[in-house]
Amino acid sequence: MKGLAGKRIGIAAVRASKEISLLIEKQSGTPVILPIQGRQRLNDQISEQNISDFLAGTFDWAIFTTGIGARTLTDSAESIGLLEPYINKLNSTKLAIRGSKTMKWIKEHELKPIHVSDDGTMANLLAALTEEYKGKSPQRIFLQAYDQDDDKLKSLLEENGHSVYLSRPYSYEKPDSLVVDQLKQSIIEQSLDAIVFTSKTQVKNIFADGEQQAQLIEAFNDRVLAVAVGKVTAQELESHGIVQVLQPEHQKMGAMIVALDRHYRQQEARL
């Protein structure tokens, strides 16, 4: 018998929810899609302005925090006929990145970053940059972020005397409140065996208003298993007091479902 047989698995993701559902079904589980990511909104005009400002300005470093953001800026550069000078300038700028999708973008354009977050977290990358900047004059930084992280990242860098240009090529709209409430209720009632989270935004959204927080944490720490695709998402879950968070060794959706299936197999074997 497969580990997910008889298990109802909630999916908090919007993107790739169908793919995750198929993976769950292949392991005989029942997927329940309750997307709470919120729709992604690309800021085309802002991206185009960011490209123009980057090309016109002088920067020691460019930091890219997400693959989506990096690609959105590249697409904007291409749409306004500035792709070649944009890539050329990136080639002559020190680069720091986090995330596997950002690394994929880097390789596609044959760019060579100086720093890559070892564990995929921004904290790891900032620690490396702090060491890099130690003893040097303030740096001029082009920072690509998005609306839930940008102010914090910008402030951390500016507190150390650096000049930061914030590029915000995309943002997320608030998720459907009815869907959020439905997921919350399913967790509290423990009608789902596990919830799959693929980004920390989803975690933030479920804990955003503070309502029923204690009940949610109690349910997660009782019988509802919190599953994270990777370390960043896992850390966000843990920051809200969730003790047991399952995450795969490799930060991939397929590996996540395999780890979930293995978890229940091992649990069954112990009974």
Side-chain angles (χ1 to χ4, degrees):
M1 182 180 289
K2 294 183 178 180
L4 299 188
K7 304 295 184 185
R8 286 167 49 82
I9 312 299
I11 302 171
V14 176
R15 294 173 60 231
S17 59
K18 290 183 179 179
E19 291 88 339
I20 295 172
S21 292
L22 289 173
L23 291 169
I24 292 170
E25 288 171 349
K26 283 182 179 179
Q27 301 300 328
S28 301
T30 301
V32 181
I33 301 175
L34 292 168
I36 59 168
Q37 175 80 35
R39 287 184 59 189
Q40 186 186 99
R41 184 176 63 243
L42 301 181
N43 303 324
D44 293 330
Q45 289 186 330
I46 291 174
S47 295
E48 291 172 7
Q49 186 63 54
N50 292 161
I51 295 298
S52 297
D53 292 344
F54 177 71
L55 292 174
T58 302
F59 297 95
D60 300 297
W61 287 83
I63 302 174
F64 294 92
T65 67
T66 65
I68 297 167
R71 289 186 185 280
T72 300
L73 288 170
T74 304
D75 290 345
S76 292
E78 186 171 21
S79 70
I80 58 177
L82 295 174
L83 180 58
E84 186 175 350
Y86 176 59
I87 297 300
N88 287 342
K89 185 161 183 177
L90 287 177
N91 262 314
S92 61
T93 305
K94 296 175 184 177
L95 302 178
I97 68 166
R98 63 154 294 277
S100 58
K101 292 177 182 176
T102 317
M103 176 57 78
K104 186 178 179 181
W105 166 80
I106 281 281
K107 289 179 179 177
E108 286 173 5
H109 294 282
E110 299 180 343
L111 298 169
K112 296 179 180 179
I114 291 178
H115 287 295
V116 178
S117 174
D118 292 333
D119 61 2
T121 66
M122 199 61 212
N124 180 278
L125 187 59
L126 284 174
L129 290 173
T130 298
E131 189 64 29
E132 171 79 33
Y133 300 155
K134 191 178 293 183
K136 296 180 180 178
S137 59
Q139 304 291 295
R140 293 156 296 184
I141 301 168
F142 179 90
L143 171 65
Q144 174 271 308
Y146 69 99
D147 57 353
Q148 289 196 340
D149 283 330
D150 49 19
D151 291 334
K152 180 181 178 181
L153 297 177
K154 186 172 185 289
S155 296
L156 285 171
L157 291 165
E158 289 178 337
E159 283 171 8
N160 289 292
H162 307 300
S163 173
V164 181
Y165 177 97
L166 182 62
S167 167
R168 191 184 295 173
Y170 72 101
S171 57
Y172 285 106
E173 297 176 357
K174 289 186 177 181
D176 186 328
S177 60
L178 293 177
V179 177
V180 175
D181 289 342
Q182 186 180 350
L183 180 56
K184 283 184 178 182
Q185 199 58 38
S186 297
I187 294 168
I188 292 168
E189 293 173 352
Q190 301 191 26
S191 61
L192 296 171
D193 295 283
I195 314 293
V196 169
F197 296 94
T198 61
S199 79
K200 70 177 183 179
T201 301
Q202 296 155 21
V203 182
K204 286 177 179 288
N205 285 341
I206 205 169
F207 287 105
D209 59 13
E211 291 184 12
Q212 302 174 300
Q213 191 160 138
Q215 291 170 282
L216 289 168
I217 294 169
E218 183 180 354
F220 276 122
N221 289 335
D222 181 18
R223 201 184 68 82
V224 180
L225 180 63
V227 186
V229 73
K231 189 169 183 177
V232 173
T233 307
Q235 286 180 344
E236 188 65 33
L237 285 160
E238 290 164 353
S239 74
H240 289 282
I242 299 172
V243 176
Q244 183 181 18
V245 179
L246 180 69
Q247 60 176 305
E249 184 177 346
H250 301 291
Q251 301 183 44
K252 303 288 184 182
M253 291 184 297
M256 174 177 61
I257 302 306
V258 168
L260 179 58
D261 179 74
R262 186 188 307 116
H263 168 84
Y264 283 121
R265 283 176 183 270
Q266 292 173 346
Q267 190 178 71
E268 186 70 24
R270 288 193 293 268
L271 296 177

